[in-house]
């Protein structure tokens, strides 16, 4: 068997590393310039990405603030016997901004699903949400990439199912949402018991 000489092996390894490692100052000027350019480009890309994410998060925060304000303004209008139209007028903006999946992720992370739930829930004065409001919000909910854990932490499911009993026009859309969420639940679990998974996500 060949004898091992750790010290000699270490010396040889160091020599090889020294021979194969080129110092930055020994590189030709054009190569150094290219390496610096690449490093600068990566740094600029990282900075641009960070700026973009900050702007998207601000867009999300502004949207959430507007949605909360719309609820308060509509409730105030109801108490005064006036039409509650603030939320209806905000739907196109919600649809447009949540179409961006990055904004949507921020929205869900910040509790946006429960905010949407509040929009389509029974009003403080006991009135049900209008058909037009539900027709505007449910398609937005359907298009969102909502995770299994987010569904588990929300009670929006029963509210949506109740809407089809309130408005027969909503039944096809409610069914599409429930079917989609059922697939999300089954894909996230090892069980094949659909009833069990629906109960876990409160549908």
């Amino acid at each position: 068997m060949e004898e091992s000489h750790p010290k000699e092996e270490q010396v040889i390894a160091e020599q090889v590393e020294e021979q194969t490692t080129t110092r930055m100052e020994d590189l030709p000027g054009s190569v150094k310039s290219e390496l610096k350019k690449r490093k600068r480009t990566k740094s600029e890309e990282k900075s641009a990405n960070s700026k973009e994410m900050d702007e998207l998060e601000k867009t999300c925060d502004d949207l959430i603030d507007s949605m909360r304000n719309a609820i308060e303004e509509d409730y105030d209008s109801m108490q005064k016997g006036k039409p509650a139209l603030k939320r209806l007028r905000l739907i196109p903006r919600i649809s447009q901004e949540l179409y961006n999946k990055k904004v949507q992720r921020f929205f869900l992370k910040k509790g946006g699903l429960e905010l949407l739930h509040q929009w389509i829930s029974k009003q403080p004065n006991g009135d049900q949400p209008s058909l037009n409001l539900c027709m505007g919000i449910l398609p937005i909910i359907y298009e969102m990439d909502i995770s299994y854990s987010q569904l588990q932490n929300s009670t929006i499911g029963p509210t949506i199912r109740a809407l089809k009993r309130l408005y027969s026009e909503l039944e096809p859309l409610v069914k599409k949402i429930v079917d989609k969420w059922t697939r999300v639940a089954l894909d996230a679990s090892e069980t094949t018991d659909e009833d069990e998974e629906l109960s876990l996500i409160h549908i």
Side-chain angles (χ1 to χ4, degrees):
M1 180 180 293
E2 187 176 345
E3 294 184 8
S4 176
H5 302 282
K7 291 184 179 180
E8 291 180 12
E9 292 174 359
Q10 179 64 28
V11 170
I12 293 173
E14 291 175 355
Q15 290 175 346
V16 171
E17 183 178 359
E18 183 178 349
Q19 292 171 3
T20 56
T21 302
T22 305
R23 295 181 302 169
M24 184 71 172
E25 53 266 29
D26 294 334
L27 293 171
S30 59
V31 176
K32 286 193 290 186
S33 176
E34 180 62 24
L35 289 175
K36 288 180 179 179
K37 181 180 178 181
R38 290 183 182 182
K39 185 176 182 180
R40 184 170 59 250
T41 301
K42 288 182 179 179
S43 177
E44 290 172 351
E45 288 176 354
K46 185 176 180 180
S47 177
N49 288 337
S50 177
K51 182 179 180 181
E52 179 194 14
M53 296 308 288
D54 288 343
E55 290 175 351
L56 291 173
E57 184 170 13
K58 184 179 185 304
T59 296
C60 174
D61 290 340
D62 290 344
L63 177 62
I64 288 175
D65 287 343
S66 296
M67 290 178 67
R68 287 174 176 158
N69 290 336
I71 292 174
E72 293 177 2
E73 291 184 32
D74 274 356
Y75 288 175
D76 184 59
S77 295
M78 290 176 198
Q79 290 177 344
K80 295 177 180 178
K82 297 180 180 179
L85 303 175
K86 190 69 176 181
R87 283 172 295 173
L88 276 174
R89 290 171 178 161
L90 195 58
I91 286 175
R93 178 184 166 192
I94 297 171
S95 179
Q96 179 181 358
E97 294 187 356
L98 291 186
Y99 182 78
N100 185 315
K101 296 297 183 181
K102 293 178 181 178
V103 174
Q104 187 184 122
R105 284 194 289 271
F106 277 121
F107 183 80
L108 290 169
K109 185 178 179 180
K110 293 172 180 283
L113 186 59
E114 281 308 295
L115 184 55
L116 289 171
H117 183 194
Q118 194 173 354
W119 269 47
I120 59 172
S121 295
K122 184 182 292 187
Q123 314 302 303
N125 64 355
D127 288 349
Q128 297 290 351
S130 72
L131 174 60
N132 287 334
L133 180 63
C134 294
M135 290 287 284
I137 290 298
L138 291 186
I140 295 173
I141 293 174
Y142 175 74
E143 293 296 335
M144 295 177 71
D145 296 330
I146 303 170
S147 70
Y148 179 57
S149 61
Q150 287 164 343
L151 289 173
Q152 282 186 302
N153 293 325
S154 173
T155 55
I156 193 173
T159 299
I160 287 180
R161 292 192 77 162
L163 290 176
K164 71 178 181 179
R165 295 190 292 271
L166 186 64
Y167 301 113
S168 60
E169 298 93 330
L170 296 177
E171 187 169 351
L173 186 52
V174 169
K175 185 179 185 304
K176 286 177 63 177
I177 293 172
V178 172
D179 288 346
K180 180 180 179 179
W181 288 357
T182 301
R183 290 194 300 271
V184 170
L186 291 174
D187 288 345
S189 174
E190 295 180 357
T191 181
T192 56
D193 189 330
E194 184 173 318
D195 291 336
E196 179 183 347
E197 290 307 320
L198 290 178
S199 67
L200 289 175
I201 59 175
H202 311 293
I203 293 182

